[in-house]
Amino acid sequence: MEIVKNVVCPFCGMLCDDIICKVEGDEIVGTLNACRIGHSKFVHAEGAERYKKPLIRKNGELVEVTMEEAIDKAATVLAESKRPLMYGWSCTDCDAQAVGVELAEEAKAIIDNTASVCHGPSVLALQDVGYPICTFGEVKNRADVVVYWGCNPMHAHPRNLSRLVFSRGFFRERGLADRTVIVVDPRKSDSSKLADIHLQLDYDKDYELLDAMRAVLLGNEILYDEVAGIPKETIYEAVDVLKNAKFGVLFFGMGITHSRGKHRNIDTAICLVTDLNDSAKFTLIPMRGHYNVTGFNQVCTWESGYPFCVDFATGSARYNPGETGSNDLLQNKETDGMMVVASDPGAHFPQKALERMAEIPVISIEPHRTPTTEMADIIIPPAIVGMEAEGTAYRMEGVPIRMRKVVDIGLLSDKEILERILTRVKEINASK
Amino acid sequence: MSEIILKPKEQPLVPIEANNVTPDVFAGKTLEEIKNLGIWHGNRQDRLSKFFDIEGESSENPSEIKIIIDGSVPKTKWIGKAMTAGEILVKGDVNMYVGADMKGGKILVEGNAASWPGQDMQGGELTIMGNAGDYVGSAYRGDWRGMSGGLITVHGNVGNEIAEYMLGGKMVIKGNVSIMPGVHMNGGLLIIEGNVVARVGGEMKGGTIVVKGIIDEFLAGFKYLGIERDLNLEGEIIEGAYHKFKGDLATKGASGIVYAAVAGNSHIAPY
Ligand code: SF4
């Protein structure tokens, strides 16, 4: 058995870079330091079915084909569609994403990533009102007030608390004891159990509570004795803790990005953080889910000027979530061909979107059997980045980290597959 | 007025972009030239005549042109984009962005409109007889300057974030509104005759919103200024008694005004 150190976990946006892998042959058989969800990605969850050969659906059955045939078929779907959609991208590396953007431009497609169903609202909000962000190191070493709004890190980002909050920092020598933890969540959760203050607000009332907190912060009276189920006095107390922070950080997750109002909740939360800087030092970090969802938004922005939902139909980049988001395109039946890379909309999109996916040709570049591959007409299996291929990913607060290749299984990487499809689409377009 | 009639053929699933369908573009063109205008269909260009049977007569002067779309075009976007003069009548539904960037002239949609009607509107009149989607008279994504002039009237119901970042002009919604009408509003007048679900004027800094119906939930960041009767707004008298609020005081230096009809809204007044 071989031991590989300093491996980066390709699961969640924490991108933990201290994983030790135990390797036997071309398989990872054990890990140290990873949390349970990270561990099960490395060692393959039980029952997972891995594809090693390209497949094409012929007469309803998936049939093994050569890589050339699969690439040609995929390129043809993209080149022939009038409004092709290229979705996913959050579980692969930045170089593959960059080829993806080039391919989208060549195919006059729309490229969108999983942000459009998770932190897309945060992206919209930061375009409106800015983004006072910080890095993990600053949280660990400085933060004395840590707010988790609409997220449950104990389950979704298991090492967030241990790496950043329980741990001792340069200015927070006693770790957790030196920090005040505030959880804002309508539910009791394993994270709220650890909180010094749990603001258990009513469902879908994030904006209302934030509006009241901001008004109080600016020295105004508020209209009502209770807002979002929280008594006025508690709101005053919470604002007091926030504005007296030496270094505060707001972590926020899907519980606020996807409750009623979506990006406007984040917009007003960001403005709260901005205004807090009149008296405290305050920052924020979005709890990004997939390990490289942040990377896609970075790559897509530097390539096209927009972070997601980019429409290349007319040859120049256009952008309007609500029109050019994957769910908009599928549910309005606008798209007529779809490529899915490194994600599983089949498991996560609403029924109305899946109905359209079932009607149109779907290409899936995906290592495992998933609900998406069940609908796919073409399946091309890649090596898994961070385990079987190297590449760069962006941690949730925007720090790029180089991911290691731990084992070699002899499959093409996402990037190599996409490059081949790009070459073929160029050939088809040149012959038009 | 010279009339040009566009009779829609079958609408494709992949939408078409009719930003060329304006009196400004049609002006000075022969019928043949109009039929051959390019139109985006997904990622390729076709001729306008592929999707419409076109007849009538054009004019040199856009303000002399009336375009009649003689049927429903639920898969057609950008009708009347940036038009400055003349008229467009749509005898049915339209897709997104009808009257976006409009500067003058009139558009009347007899059916429903999808989202973003009158986006960044600067002048003219846009009337929708049916319902409209979200973002009526809003800004472009990421912009902080929305509708700055003109008049939008929607006779039916509308969705979320109408009059987002509104700067000027007037919008009248006769039906009901979902959440966040006038979010980030900085100027102009928004009159809602129906009911609103929540968050009227969230983060507004200026402008005026009048709600004649019932507001289910109101934001705590506003200041109550008492009851005012028979409002005089932009030369128009709006009769009745209204609770008056100033806000949204969650934002620095805010002086937006929300009037909520006294009838039906006692639950949002603090006393
Ligand atoms: S917290 Fe996230 S990145 Fe860290 S080990 Fe767990 S799954 Fe992997």
Side-chain angles (χ1 to χ4, degrees), chain A residues 109-128:
Chain A
I110 293 154
I111 188 161
D112 185 21
N113 82 322
T114 59
S116 86
V117 290
C118 62
H119 274 280
S122 314
V123 174
L124 288 177
L126 75 91
Q127 290 172 337
D128 274 352

Short mmCIF file of all heavy atoms in Angstrom, two decimals, chain A residues 109-128:
data_model
loop_
_atom_site.label_atom_id
_atom_site.label_comp_id
_atom_site.label_asym_id
_atom_site.label_seq_id
_atom_site.Cartn_x
_atom_site.Cartn_y
_atom_site.Cartn_z
N ALA A 109 -23.53 28.47 -28.37
CA ALA A 109 -24.37 27.83 -27.37
C ALA A 109 -24.56 28.76 -26.17
O ALA A 109 -24.03 29.86 -26.12
CB ALA A 109 -23.71 26.52 -26.92
N ILE A 110 -25.30 28.24 -25.19
CA ILE A 110 -25.39 28.92 -23.90
C ILE A 110 -24.64 28.07 -22.90
O ILE A 110 -24.82 26.86 -22.84
CB ILE A 110 -26.85 29.07 -23.47
CG1 ILE A 110 -27.55 30.03 -24.43
CG2 ILE A 110 -26.95 29.59 -22.05
CD1 ILE A 110 -28.99 29.79 -24.53
N ILE A 111 -23.76 28.72 -22.13
CA ILE A 111 -23.01 27.97 -21.13
C ILE A 111 -23.44 28.46 -19.75
O ILE A 111 -23.55 29.65 -19.50
CB ILE A 111 -21.49 28.06 -21.37
CG1 ILE A 111 -20.73 27.11 -20.44
CG2 ILE A 111 -20.97 29.49 -21.25
CD1 ILE A 111 -19.31 26.80 -20.88
N ASP A 112 -23.70 27.50 -18.88
CA ASP A 112 -24.25 27.82 -17.55
C ASP A 112 -23.73 26.78 -16.58
O ASP A 112 -23.51 25.63 -16.95
CB ASP A 112 -25.78 27.76 -17.64
CG ASP A 112 -26.45 28.21 -16.35
OD1 ASP A 112 -25.80 28.92 -15.56
OD2 ASP A 112 -27.62 27.84 -16.15
N ASN A 113 -23.51 27.18 -15.34
CA ASN A 113 -23.05 26.18 -14.38
C ASN A 113 -24.04 26.01 -13.24
O ASN A 113 -25.09 26.65 -13.21
CB ASN A 113 -21.63 26.48 -13.87
CG ASN A 113 -21.58 27.50 -12.76
OD1 ASN A 113 -22.34 28.45 -12.75
ND2 ASN A 113 -20.70 27.29 -11.82
N THR A 114 -23.70 25.14 -12.30
CA THR A 114 -24.64 24.79 -11.23
C THR A 114 -24.96 25.99 -10.34
O THR A 114 -25.91 25.93 -9.57
CB THR A 114 -24.09 23.65 -10.35
OG1 THR A 114 -22.84 24.10 -9.81
CG2 THR A 114 -23.86 22.39 -11.14
N ALA A 115 -24.18 27.08 -10.45
CA ALA A 115 -24.53 28.29 -9.70
C ALA A 115 -25.96 28.70 -9.99
O ALA A 115 -26.63 29.28 -9.14
CB ALA A 115 -23.57 29.42 -10.03
N SER A 116 -26.42 28.40 -11.20
CA SER A 116 -27.77 28.88 -11.54
C SER A 116 -28.83 28.19 -10.69
O SER A 116 -29.96 28.68 -10.61
CB SER A 116 -28.04 28.79 -13.04
OG SER A 116 -28.51 27.56 -13.43
N VAL A 117 -28.48 27.09 -10.00
CA VAL A 117 -29.43 26.54 -9.02
C VAL A 117 -28.88 26.55 -7.60
O VAL A 117 -29.44 25.90 -6.72
CB VAL A 117 -29.91 25.11 -9.40
CG1 VAL A 117 -30.80 25.15 -10.62
CG2 VAL A 117 -28.74 24.18 -9.62
N CYS A 118 -27.74 27.25 -7.35
CA CYS A 118 -27.31 27.37 -5.95
C CYS A 118 -26.96 28.81 -5.60
O CYS A 118 -27.80 29.54 -5.11
CB CYS A 118 -26.21 26.37 -5.59
SG CYS A 118 -24.68 26.54 -6.50
N HIS A 119 -25.72 29.25 -5.88
CA HIS A 119 -25.36 30.61 -5.50
C HIS A 119 -25.49 31.61 -6.64
O HIS A 119 -24.94 32.71 -6.55
CB HIS A 119 -23.94 30.65 -4.92
CG HIS A 119 -23.91 30.36 -3.45
ND1 HIS A 119 -24.23 31.33 -2.51
CD2 HIS A 119 -23.64 29.24 -2.75
CE1 HIS A 119 -24.13 30.79 -1.30
NE2 HIS A 119 -23.78 29.53 -1.41
N GLY A 120 -26.21 31.27 -7.70
CA GLY A 120 -26.49 32.25 -8.75
C GLY A 120 -27.04 33.55 -8.18
O GLY A 120 -26.60 34.64 -8.55
N PRO A 121 -27.99 33.44 -7.23
CA PRO A 121 -28.50 34.68 -6.62
C PRO A 121 -27.40 35.52 -5.97
O PRO A 121 -27.45 36.75 -6.03
CB PRO A 121 -29.49 34.17 -5.57
CG PRO A 121 -29.98 32.87 -6.14
CD PRO A 121 -28.77 32.26 -6.81
N SER A 122 -26.39 34.85 -5.39
CA SER A 122 -25.29 35.62 -4.79
C SER A 122 -24.53 36.36 -5.87
O SER A 122 -24.10 37.51 -5.69
CB SER A 122 -24.33 34.69 -4.04
OG SER A 122 -25.04 33.78 -3.25
N VAL A 123 -24.34 35.68 -7.02
CA VAL A 123 -23.61 36.30 -8.12
C VAL A 123 -24.36 37.53 -8.63
O VAL A 123 -23.79 38.59 -8.86
CB VAL A 123 -23.38 35.26 -9.25
CG1 VAL A 123 -22.76 35.92 -10.46
CG2 VAL A 123 -22.51 34.12 -8.76
N LEU A 124 -25.68 37.40 -8.78
CA LEU A 124 -26.48 38.55 -9.22
C LEU A 124 -26.37 39.69 -8.23
O LEU A 124 -26.24 40.86 -8.61
CB LEU A 124 -27.95 38.14 -9.34
CG LEU A 124 -28.32 37.23 -10.49
CD1 LEU A 124 -29.79 36.87 -10.42
CD2 LEU A 124 -28.03 37.90 -11.80
N ALA A 125 -26.41 39.35 -6.95
CA ALA A 125 -26.38 40.39 -5.93
C ALA A 125 -25.05 41.11 -5.92
O ALA A 125 -24.99 42.33 -5.80
CB ALA A 125 -26.68 39.78 -4.55
N LEU A 126 -23.95 40.36 -6.07
CA LEU A 126 -22.64 41.02 -6.00
C LEU A 126 -22.44 41.94 -7.20
O LEU A 126 -21.73 42.94 -7.12
CB LEU A 126 -21.51 40.01 -5.85
CG LEU A 126 -21.07 39.18 -7.05
CD1 LEU A 126 -19.95 39.86 -7.81
CD2 LEU A 126 -20.59 37.82 -6.57
N GLN A 127 -23.11 41.61 -8.31
CA GLN A 127 -23.01 42.53 -9.46
C GLN A 127 -23.74 43.83 -9.17
O GLN A 127 -23.38 44.88 -9.69
CB GLN A 127 -23.60 41.87 -10.70
CG GLN A 127 -22.71 40.75 -11.19
CD GLN A 127 -23.33 39.95 -12.31
OE1 GLN A 127 -24.54 39.91 -12.47
NE2 GLN A 127 -22.50 39.29 -13.08
N ASP A 128 -24.78 43.76 -8.34
CA ASP A 128 -25.52 44.98 -8.00
C ASP A 128 -24.84 45.79 -6.91
O ASP A 128 -24.82 47.01 -6.98
CB ASP A 128 -26.94 44.62 -7.53
CG ASP A 128 -27.91 44.47 -8.70
OD1 ASP A 128 -27.53 44.79 -9.83
OD2 ASP A 128 -29.05 44.05 -8.45
#
